[in-house]
Each structure stands twice: as structure tokens, then as C-alpha cells.
């Protein structure tokens, strides 16, 4: 049995649960229980605030966790980052009032910067030899300059809309983040096996989401050409059709090449082209 810490509510909750579902680990949402055992997998989910997840995983109260890389870095907890999950993308940036002249990081010398990420900011300032005061605020950092609490801010940016609506300008992108799967450093062999199974399923899911399954009828005369257009995982499947001179061709293609392939196949006489979404690809 492995315990996975997931955010109770907030920006990462929904996609963390969607990820669990996509790899067929069925757990109940946090609305019902703070600890939910999967019906069909040796795992249970522990719902927590994201701030607590790195610590809980590093101490071993949970063996795994899904959390923003920014939280892992800020808490400085010793955990293994086992997978980047491709959602919750954001950055932590320095922003200044939009009217201020900004010519480089020296701007921040002698300034006060409001943030909820003092550790990451402190490291950046040290690396750049900047002597600035860090004012720690836990919420609504973006209002600090207008409220006279600070000269600038260091905060999470995603679309940039919050900065614009608060009259601020992003000047330094300091830390790139996304949701990551973290693991305790001292997993037992059984826990490691469950983690490997989870990683295997995540990878299968990732591979299948980038591919499409393609079926079509094609004149036998065009088959050789079709096979050069469609390099499948090993080779495409070709089946005879009752209609004389035709066969059915099945293949897997990269989703971002789909329309280009379809165009080429139509040009050599393919008909009745079906495009299917793949649920899983087990390589
Ligand atoms: O309650 P709990 O402590 O669990 O949650 P929380 O309120 O601390 O965190 P939450 O749910 O807001 O964010 C969880 C994680 O999502 C963060 O640690 C990041 O890893 C990630 N993430 C991705 C974001 C954003 N995008 C984001 N845009 N976290 C916060 N924001 C906020 C940001 O603070 C700012 O106020 O959104 C605003 C900026 O957004 P834009 O789009 O206007 O630039
Ligand atoms: Zn939080």
C-alpha cells in the first residue's frame, strides 16, 4: 500500500484527480473523505494543503505526492522528483510598477520585495549580489506595491493578467514550475514496485494522448506508397477487403502529424478514413 498526498482544493486538485483517473486508480474526491483508499489499486490518497505536501512526503507520512515544483523548492524538503506531470505550469517572476524604469536586476538594490517565496527569492538575490529587503506576505502579493508595503513583488505568474490588472510589469522570470510527482527517498521495495507501476501507467497515458489510431480503405496499387507515409510502431496492419483491388489499412500516427498524413493518404486514393482516440498504448 502506498499513500499519495494530493491538494485538497485549489489549482492542482482537479488535474491531480484526473491524472489518477486516467491511470485507472479510482479514489473518492476530498469532499467525502480526507483519506480515500483506491478500490482497485494498492494506494490511498491523503488530501492536504499544497504547502504541507513536500514535508509530509519527505517525512514518509505519505510516500508520494503531487505538488507544484515551486513548493518543493521553497520548502527545501529532501524528496525525489520522479515525474513532471505537464499541468499546473507557471513561473515565479519579479514584477515592478509598470511606470518604473527597469534596466536590469540592479533595480532591486535597496528595494523592498513582497513575496510568499522568500527562499527562492533569497537565492536569486544572493546569486545576483542584490541587497534587497524581502517582505513575506502569504496572500494577494500583487497589491503590495499599490498598498505601499513594497516596491516590487516576486510572485507566481501564469497568464500575466493579474500583474497587468494591478499595474505591474514582469521583469525577471526566475523559476519555472509545473506539477510534479514526488517520492520519499527511502521507499521500501514493495512501495518502489507500486511507484514503478504508477510511472509505467503515466507513461502509457502520455504516449497514447499524443497519438491517434487511423483506419482506412486503400486501393492495393497505392499500398506501397501508403506504407511509406505511415510508419507505425512496428508496421501498419493490412487486411484484405471483399471489394476486389482494395484493402483496409490500420496504423498509429502522431497526433500533430494527423492532418498532414490524412492529406497525403487521400491524395493516393484512401477512402473511408476513420480517426480514433487511443485510450492506452503499452509499449
Ligand atoms: O489551499 P492551498 O494552500 O492548498 O492552495 P494555494 O492557494 O496555496 O495554491 P493554489 O491552489 O492557488 O496553487 C497551487 C499551485 O498551482 C501553485 O503552487 C503553483 O504550482 C500552481 N499554479 C499554476 C498557480 C498558478 N498557476 C497561478 N496562476 N498558483 C497560483 N497562481 C496565482 C498567482 O498566485 C497569482 O495570484 O494566480 C495569479 C496569477 O495568475 P495569472 O494567470 O493572472 O498570471
Ligand atoms: Zn498553499
Amino acid at each position: 500500500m502506498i499513500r499519495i498526498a494530493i491538494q485538497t482544493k485549489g489549482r492542482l486538485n482537479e488535474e491531480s484527480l484526473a491524472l489518477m483517473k486516467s491511470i485507472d486508480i479510482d479514489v473518492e474526491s476530498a469532499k467525502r473523505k480526507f483519506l480515500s483508499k483506491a478500490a482497485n489499486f494498492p494506494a490511498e490518497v491523503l488530501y492536504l494543503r499544497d504547502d504541507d505536501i513536500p514535508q509530509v512526503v519527505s517525512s514518509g507520512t505519505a510516500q508520494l505526492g503531487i505538488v507544484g515544483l515551486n513548493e518543493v523548492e521553497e520548502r527545501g524538503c529532501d524528496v525525489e522528483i520522479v515525474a513532471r506531470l505537464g499541468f499546473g505550469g507557471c513561473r515565479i517572476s519579479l514584477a515592478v510598477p509598470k511606470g518604473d524604469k527597469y534596466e536590469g536586476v540592479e533595480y532591486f538594490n535597496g528595494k523592498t520585495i513582497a513575496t510568499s517565496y522568500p527562499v527562492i527569492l533569497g537565492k536569486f538575490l544572493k546569486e545576483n549580489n542584490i541587497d534587497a529587503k524581502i517582505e513575506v506576505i502569504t496572500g494577494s502579493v500583487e497589491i503590495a506595491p499599490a498598498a505601499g508595503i513594497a516596491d516590487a513583488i516576486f510572485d507566481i505568474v501564469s497568464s500575466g493578467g493579474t500583474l497587468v490588472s494591478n499595474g505591474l510589469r514582469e521583469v525577471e522570470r526566475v523559476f519555472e514550475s509545473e506539477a510534479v510527482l514526488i517520492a520519499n527517498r527511502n521507499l521500501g521495495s514493495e512501495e518502489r514496485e507500486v511507484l514503478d507501476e504508477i510511472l509505467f501507467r503515466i507513461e502509457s497515458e502520455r504516449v497514447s494522448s499524443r497519438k491517434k489510431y487511423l483506419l482506412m480503405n486503400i486501393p492495393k496499387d497505392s499500398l506501397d506508397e501508403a506504407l511509406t507515409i505511415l510508419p507505425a510502431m512496428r508496421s501498419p496492419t493490412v487486411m484484405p477487403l471483399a471489394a476486389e483491388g482494395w484493402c483496409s489499412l490500420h496504423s498509429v500516427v502522431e497526433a500533430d502529424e494527423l492532418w498532414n498524413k490524412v492529406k497525403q493518404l487521400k491524395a493516393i486514393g484512401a477512402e473511408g478514413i476513420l480517426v480514433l482516440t487511443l485510450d492506452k498504448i503499452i509499449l
Side-chain angles (χ1 to χ4, degrees):
M1 171 71 75
I2 211 163
R3 184 177 286 166
I4 311 171
I6 283 182
Q7 194 188 23
T8 313
K9 56 183 166 60
R11 285 166 203 265
L12 303 182
N13 168 269
E14 239 172 64
E15 280 174 289
S16 301
L17 287 174
L19 172 73
M20 301 296 282
K21 198 168 171 356
S22 75
I23 58 172
D24 295 322
I25 300 178
D26 296 331
V27 288
E28 287 183 69
S29 78
K31 287 183 204 100
R32 291 165 180 257
K33 292 176 179 172
F34 79 99
L35 194 60
S36 169
K37 190 174 162 346
N40 55 352
F41 194 79
E44 63 185 4
V45 163
L46 172 65
Y47 291 103
L48 292 174
R49 287 199 61 180
D50 68 344
D51 314 49
D52 299 330
I53 293 176
Q55 164 62 27
V56 157
V57 172
S58 106
S59 70
T61 304
Q63 288 74 41
L64 302 180
I66 298 177
V67 68
L69 187 59
N70 52 310
E71 287 299 327
V72 180
E73 180 76 7
E74 181 64 24
R75 309 280 150 195
C77 292
D78 186 26
V79 291
E80 186 185 347
I81 292 161
V82 285
R84 291 184 168 253
L85 299 173
F87 60 86
C90 59
R91 54 199 185 264
I92 316 182
S93 296
L94 280 158
V96 304
K98 72 168 189 270
D100 278 19
K101 193 167 159 209
Y102 183 84
E103 289 174 334
V105 282
E106 302 72 37
Y107 167 96
F108 294 102
N109 266 321
K111 297 276 199 306
T112 299
I113 308 168
T115 189
S116 311
Y117 293 93
V119 173
I120 301 174
L121 176 58
K123 225 181 268 178
F124 175 82
L125 295 176
K126 194 163 173 224
E127 279 164 15
N128 287 278
N129 286 321
I130 302 296
D131 183 17
K133 180 167 180 271
I134 299 177
E135 187 70 43
V136 180
I137 317 189
T138 49
S140 302
V141 172
E142 66 278 359
I143 64 162
I149 299 167
D151 303 298
I153 68 163
F154 179 64
D155 198 13
I156 294 186
V157 181
S158 169
S159 66
T162 303
L163 293 183
V164 171
S165 56
N166 285 279
L168 298 167
R169 178 160 65 100
E170 183 176 13
V171 290
E172 301 286 341
R173 293 178 172 216
V174 173
F175 188 84
E176 297 289 332
S177 182
E178 69 181 284
V180 289
L181 179 66
I182 57 173
N184 177 269
R185 291 234 178 245
N186 304 306
L187 294 185
S189 61
E190 269 176 42
E191 293 165 342
R192 181 55 68 176
E193 247 173 61
V194 179
L195 170 59
D196 286 346
E197 175 65 23
I198 289 173
L199 290 173
F200 173 71
R201 292 189 188 188
I202 289 175
E203 186 53 22
S204 302
E205 173 62 27
R206 197 173 281 176
V207 171
S208 62
S209 69
R210 288 197 302 254
K211 296 195 190 278
K212 297 283 179 196
Y213 192 78
L214 207 55
L215 302 87
M216 76 212 71
N217 297 333
I218 189 127
K220 277 191 178 142
D221 293 348
S222 301
L223 191 56
D224 284 348
E225 219 175 323
L227 295 181
T228 63
I229 298 169
L230 290 176
M233 283 183 287
R234 267 190 213 283
S235 64
T237 307
V238 183
M239 286 185 281
L241 283 182
E244 187 65 29
W246 284 79
C247 55
S248 165
L249 184 59
H250 298 200
S251 188
V252 174
V253 298
E254 295 292 330
D256 53 7
E257 288 180 2
L258 176 71
W259 294 109
N260 183 25
K261 299 281 182 196
V262 165
K263 194 169 157 196
Q264 293 179 53
L265 292 161
K266 275 170 67 96
I268 59 166
E271 288 182 0
I273 301 175
L274 299 182
V275 180
L276 305 180
T277 299
L278 284 158
D279 192 24
K280 302 279 181 294
I281 294 185
I282 316 294
L283 293 171

